[in-house]
Amino acid sequence: MISDAVAADQRFGIVLLRPGWESNYFGAPAVHALGTIGQIEQAVPLEDGRYNILVRGEVRFRIVGEVAHEPYRTARVIALPEEVREVSQAYAQKTWLADLSRQYLHYLPDQAAVPEIDTVELEALTNALIMSLNIDVQEKQRLLEIDDLIARADEVGRELQNRIESLQFLAPYRRKTDANSN
């Protein structure tokens, strides 16, 4: 029997599968050693019995050993909380990243404002950007494995800057879409 405390805890570990996972998907394919503990914030049932879930990452972890493969993969992990050396540097980095995020969103069609950009901490903003940007999965993993939060945020910021510069360059050449035309 599962205790009420465990049943109410909607946290779980999220790790990416290593390349080549396709050949052993229903077995126990190799995973990256670094992952994130996620908290389910919202679960929406779909008509086909599946769910769309919204997960908030809480803390990174490193797998130190697998305990079981069935019925679910279970592992021993060590939490890797972020260490911010310089509060003023983290604040400056967060302000810069939030500004770049708003600039980038400006160029995306039909994009609603994201007020959380201004209220979350540097770690949450940096990691959310990594997960939401359309970049290769292995690149996402590489970025998430950067232990220094300021360095990780810097790399994400440079990626956003490159995208903004490309979008600014291409802006005059994009066709304006009119809802009344095909």
Side-chain angles (χ1 to χ4, degrees):
M1 178 173 208
I2 298 176
S3 73
D4 290 338
V6 173
D9 187 359
Q10 297 184 344
R11 295 180 304 161
F12 58 96
I14 304 166
V15 293
L16 289 174
L17 300 174
R18 289 198 174 272
W21 59 266
E22 300 87 352
S23 63
N24 191 23
Y25 180 71
F26 291 103
V31 297
H32 286 276
L34 192 120
T36 302
I37 294 175
Q39 170 77 34
I40 297 175
E41 296 223 329
Q42 182 180 31
V44 178
L46 303 174
E47 291 179 11
D48 63 2
R50 296 179 302 153
Y51 287 83
N52 274 340
I53 61 172
L54 175 63
V55 178
R56 177 180 43 86
E58 292 184 347
V59 67
R60 296 179 321 139
F61 65 80
R62 182 165 308 281
I63 297 173
V64 294
E66 288 198 39
V67 177
H69 291 292
E70 303 221 1
Y72 305 103
R73 288 178 88 164
T74 309
R76 286 185 315 278
V77 300
I78 296 173
L80 302 171
E82 298 290 350
E83 294 181 30
V84 177
R85 297 180 311 266
E86 177 74 36
V87 175
S88 62
Q89 186 180 14
Y91 179 78
Q93 194 79 348
K94 192 268 183 190
T95 302
W96 173 68
L97 207 52
D99 183 54
L100 287 172
S101 299
R102 282 189 297 279
Q103 288 179 49
Y104 182 65
L105 289 172
H106 170 76
Y107 288 100
L108 300 180
D110 302 321
Q111 180 62 48
V114 182
E116 294 83 4
I117 288 173
D118 294 313
T119 60
V120 298
E121 298 296 323
L122 177 61
E123 177 186 5
L125 179 57
T126 302
N127 294 343
L129 285 167
I130 291 169
M131 297 314 295
S132 63
L133 287 173
N134 186 17
I135 54 178
D136 177 76
V137 173
Q138 297 307 318
E139 178 63 7
K140 288 180 190 228
Q141 183 70 31
R142 184 191 73 74
L143 290 168
L144 289 170
E145 288 185 3
I146 297 172
D147 286 330
D148 183 292
L149 177 59
I150 301 294
R152 187 177 334 129
D154 191 54
E155 287 211 29
V156 172
R158 284 196 308 260
E159 175 67 26
L160 279 175
Q161 279 183 317
N162 290 338
R163 289 171 182 236
I164 291 165
E165 288 171 8
S166 294
L167 290 167
Q168 286 172 336
F169 174 78
L170 294 172
Y173 305 105
R174 292 182 168 240
R175 276 192 274 163
K176 302 279 188 223
T177 58
D178 181 359
N180 297 324
S181 65
N182 285 338

